[in-house]
Amino acid sequence: MAVVPYSEIFEKFRIDGEIVKAIPFGNGLINKTFRLHNADINAPDYLLQRINDEVFSDIPKMTDNLRNVTSHLRKNKEDAADSVLTAVPTHKGNLIHVGSDNDYWRMFLFLKNLRSYDQAPDVAYVKEGAKAFGQFVKEMSDFSPENLHVVIPDFHHLGKRIRQLNTAKLKASKERIKFADSLFNDIDIQCKRVAEMLRCIDEGRLSTRVTHNDTKFNNVLFSTDGEARCVVDLDTTMPGIIHYDFGDGIRTGTVDCKEDESDPKKIAVQDERLQAYCEGYLEPLLDILSPIEIQFLPLAAPYMSLIMAVRFLTDYLNEDIYYHIQYPDQNLARATCQMRLSMLFYEKRDSIKNFRTIKGLS
Ligand code: GN1
Ligand code: MG
């Protein structure tokens, strides 16, 4: 029988049954993920992941966070088996296996009856997905953020991201600068519009909490009947502010276009979805948010979409060294789409302020 790809890796982990296939899985832009199919129907399938150690430069710290976060989440759940990620240890009892090329691998149980969506199928899904991320922060609210490592410093700090863009501009090819040019002015405009929020971040006026920091809609797993069951991709769970999660969630959870949508007509924001996201996300958090956190909620989505636009554009200028791409100008397409979203979400800031849930809070 043919050797299953990656068998020399997955055999290092404590797995049951007989793995017969390893198939690339999911749409992550950083790590590589494979689903391992089990021939034994009584044994689970697994997810095998190669961690990108250029992006995550301290894998022991990242793994420490994963262990702490999952065990904390598990404490208060009766149904933890399929609502909290379960890492599978190696035979030596580690959560990471280091391969012969200094490649870093880890494994999770695959949750067979659950699935993710890149875009929410309908408004009910928007609310459910949002609730899962709000609930995540709520469940982590009795875990001190200081007990987690900062795996990527200033991950969502706009000032840092703009400095990285400026450095990239200096080194970029003339051709890429030319194609990127039309975005620079809009970036300046949006930076001014969210400047007050950045000032508050710098002054430490927005409470530091344990946040997920990668609340893409496809990081929630749903049951077949549309119930949000499990929040995944905990790699960037670290100290942060609520606005990072709320904003990134709105960016991906309320639109029905792809992250790199190139047809401007398809890039639209529907109030109904926006309202559903706000309600779903904020309801679990109603009793913990402070007035200043509430005040800045309407700027969260313009801020996070801008951050993403700046990061994608930086990578485009750097010749695509960070994000995985499927076609040559994908990072430019992503940046253009995210920039447009930042503008659209900014126009919606008053609607957000007036949604029942937020109005009730302020
Ligand atoms: C990356 O790989 P993935 O999809 O989990 C990125 C996020 C971005 C996202 C954009 C560590 O996440 O910050 O929001 O792409 N993760 C890292 O799609 O940079
Ligand atoms: Mg991620």
Side-chain angles (χ1 to χ4, degrees), residues 65 140-150 207-211 237-241:
N65 281 0
M140 291 307 299
S141 63
D142 55 346
F143 186 97
S144 169
E146 285 159 27
N147 292 336
L148 289 180
H149 304 287
V150 174
S207 307
T208 302
R209 303 184 181 280
V210 174
T211 49
T237 301
M238 60 181 159
I241 57 171

Side-chain angles (χ1 to χ4, degrees), residues 115-299:
R115 60 159 296 186
S116 66
Y117 299 87
D118 289 339
Q119 285 89 38
D122 61 33
V123 164
Y125 275 86
V126 174
K127 189 165 177 183
E128 265 295 297
K131 198 172 86 190
F133 284 128
Q135 195 67 38
F136 178 86
V137 170
K138 168 88 176 188
E139 284 166 14
M140 291 307 299
S141 63
D142 55 346
F143 186 97
S144 169
E146 285 159 27
N147 292 336
L148 289 180
H149 304 287
V150 174
V151 280
I152 305 180
D154 294 326
F155 189 45
H156 294 315
H157 191 274
L158 184 60
K160 163 179 156 167
R161 296 304 184 184
I162 292 290
R163 283 191 289 282
Q164 289 175 334
L165 175 64
N166 289 336
T167 308
K169 267 188 197 171
L170 294 174
K171 293 192 224 144
S173 72
K174 282 210 181 78
E175 202 196 10
R176 289 205 176 207
I177 288 280
K178 193 176 90 198
F179 288 124
D181 191 54
S182 65
L183 291 176
F184 295 142
N185 193 36
D186 286 351
I187 289 176
D188 284 347
I189 292 173
Q190 286 307 90
C191 279
K192 291 198 182 94
R193 288 173 166 173
V194 300
E196 204 188 335
M197 180 170 144
L198 183 59
R199 205 163 30 247
C200 273
I201 293 173
D202 286 338
E203 288 168 2
R205 293 168 63 204
L206 297 166
S207 307
T208 302
R209 303 184 181 280
V210 174
T211 49
H212 181 282
N213 294 304
D214 190 4
T215 50
K216 267 165 95 159
F217 196 74
N218 62 13
N219 278 333
V220 179
L221 303 184
F222 289 87
S223 65
T224 43
D225 54 2
E227 194 190 332
R229 301 282 303 150
C230 183
V231 168
V232 298
D233 190 356
L234 306 177
D235 294 340
T236 48
T237 301
M238 60 181 159
I241 57 171
I242 208 89
H243 307 75
Y244 300 153
D245 283 6
F246 182 62
D248 204 26
I250 290 179
R251 172 183 83 82
T252 53
T254 66
V255 295
D256 56 10
C257 65
K258 293 188 287 161
E259 200 171 38
D260 60 343
E261 180 55 61
S262 58
D263 178 356
K265 289 193 294 302
K266 291 198 185 147
I267 306 173
V269 176
Q270 297 161 12
D271 278 12
E272 212 191 359
R273 285 182 169 233
L274 209 49
Q275 174 145 15
Y277 201 95
C278 291
E279 287 179 7
Y281 187 79
L282 295 171
E283 269 161 22
L285 299 171
L286 292 181
D287 52 344
I288 66 171
L289 295 182
S290 68
I292 187 157
E293 285 178 295
I294 294 157
Q295 185 194 326
F296 280 96
L297 288 174
L299 283 186

